[in-house]
Amino acid sequence: MAALFGSRVRELRTAAGLTQTDVGTLTHVVGSRIAQIERATRALDKELVADDLLIDLWPYVYREAFPDWSQAFIAYSARAAVIRQYASHAVPGLLQTPDYARALLSVGHSLRDAEHLEERLAARLDRQVRLTGPDRPELWIILDEAVLRRPVGGSTVMRGQLEELLRMAEEPNITVQVLPFDQGEHGALGGSLTVLVMPDGTEVAYTEGAHHGQLTEEPDEVERFVLAYDHLRAMALPPLMSLDLIRSVLEADYRGSRVPSRSDRRRLAQEQLQQPGGRRLRGGGGRIPRRRPRP
């Protein structure tokens, strides 16, 4: 429907003898963005004298589970042999738990109703099946530390999400790194970056912000994004240290109310050692009994 809608807009624009920039001026939209929105507004219908054709088509376009600018990326990623992704604000969809995904999708600016939410949630979770299938891709994820610290959905949801990250990182085809705050600024700070390697070896890049995305297939442009991703991978903590940081955040920020943190356990152990007649503790927590004096 999105393709049909865009095709009708182009036909009407061409018949009217207008360029994309002309339509942008008439509808108060920057000309360079007309190609991205040639499927939308009442202003287009009016200015192109479409007799409500575009208005009638729009509800069908709007029902799509994902915005049009992400459709091509999803199609590519479903076939990619290697997926390399940097996420600056949220856990990538391929590794999201249902509760975490629901919390994110619930605040989408284009969300219409509860049914639409369930459609988007189902579509997102369906994409995860491939990670454990026979054609599973190699997945390399770099998470900004902010992703770990932001309590999406609340502490319980985040606890489940971080535990899921640790579990998924045990899969042989999945690698997780964390880019810590102390690395400062970098070239992808404003959004997320994904590099896809297709089965034939060709590469495409995808950048995404809160309300927009762009797929790049031009080799020179893709090469720039590949280099940017390599820089991020070099700046991030090694995989084992990254998992340690995830565990630390899990304990410090999202532990259950009855579960003491690692620092709390250490403090308690020190207090016990300092008490008169305190018993030494094994590394595993077992007590070493004091030797009784011989009779």
Side-chain angles (χ1 to χ4, degrees):
M1 288 306 301
L4 173 62
F5 196 100
S7 175
R8 293 294 181 268
V9 171
R10 284 189 292 274
E11 291 175 2
L12 291 165
R13 176 175 58 78
T14 301
L18 299 173
T19 66
Q20 291 181 347
T21 301
D22 293 334
V23 176
T25 301
L26 291 170
T27 57
H28 308 290
V29 180
V30 177
S32 62
R33 286 187 55 82
I34 289 299
Q36 299 176 26
I37 64 166
E38 276 194 341
R39 51 181 85 45
T41 66
R42 289 180 176 272
L44 282 173
D45 193 283
K46 176 182 177 182
E47 298 296 345
L48 297 179
V49 195
D51 295 327
D52 291 340
L53 171 64
L54 302 181
I55 296 174
D56 291 341
L57 286 175
W58 176 245
Y60 300 96
V61 179
Y62 196 56
R63 285 188 62 83
E64 291 188 345
F66 292 98
D68 183 62
W69 41 261
S70 69
Q71 294 287 345
F73 165 70
I74 292 174
Y76 270 115
S77 62
R79 297 186 295 110
V82 180
I83 301 174
R84 304 188 188 110
Q85 189 166 10
Y86 163 71
S88 60
H89 303 302
V91 174
L94 287 174
L95 296 181
Q96 290 176 5
T97 65
D99 289 338
Y100 186 95
R102 184 184 297 277
L104 284 180
L105 293 171
S106 296
V107 296
H109 77 289
S110 60
L111 186 67
R112 298 189 309 276
D113 50 35
E115 182 180 357
H116 192 209
L117 172 61
E118 294 305 317
E119 291 175 359
R120 287 188 166 183
L121 179 61
R124 178 161 298 185
L125 298 180
D126 284 346
R127 292 174 56 210
Q128 299 178 357
V129 175
R130 186 167 177 247
L131 289 181
T132 55
D135 65 336
R136 65 182 65 180
E138 177 189 340
L139 180 63
W140 196 298
I141 299 292
I142 301 174
L143 302 173
D144 194 280
E145 186 175 345
V147 174
L148 309 180
R149 303 288 184 182
R150 180 173 291 107
V152 173
S155 294
T156 300
V157 172
M158 279 302 299
R159 185 162 61 250
Q161 179 60 75
L162 296 187
E163 290 171 347
E164 176 69 2
L165 283 177
L166 294 172
R167 188 185 70 81
M168 293 299 292
E170 296 177 356
E171 296 292 329
N173 60 312
I174 299 177
T175 302
V176 177
Q177 285 185 271
V178 176
L179 183 64
F181 286 139
D182 59 17
Q183 287 294 333
E185 69 280 356
H186 55 80
L189 192 59
S192 298
L193 166 63
T194 303
V195 176
L196 304 175
V197 182
M198 308 310 295
D200 63 359
T202 59
E203 295 178 317
V204 297
Y206 179 72
T207 54
E208 186 177 35
H211 306 304
H212 69 277
Q214 181 176 352
L215 186 74
T216 303
E217 300 173 272
E218 178 62 35
D220 290 342
E221 289 294 310
V222 173
E223 183 61 29
R224 290 197 306 108
F225 287 120
V226 170
L227 183 60
Y229 189 86
D230 287 343
H231 285 165
L232 291 171
R233 188 156 49 179
M235 294 168 65
L237 295 173
L240 291 179
M241 293 180 64
S242 295
L243 298 183
D244 283 342
L245 178 55
I246 294 174
R247 293 187 188 96
S248 296
V249 173
L250 178 60
E251 284 194 341
D253 295 355
Y254 305 115
R255 65 182 183 274
S257 59
R258 297 183 180 181
V259 180
S261 68
R262 180 182 301 176
S263 60
D264 289 337
R265 294 197 299 270
R266 288 176 178 171
R267 177 177 52 78
L268 179 60
Q270 290 297 324
E271 291 176 353
Q272 290 176 339
L273 288 173
Q274 293 172 4
Q275 292 176 357
R279 298 177 179 179
R280 292 178 296 164
L281 300 179
R282 296 181 190 268
R287 297 182 184 275
I288 301 178
R290 288 179 295 177
R291 186 176 299 173
R292 293 183 178 180
R294 295 181 179 177

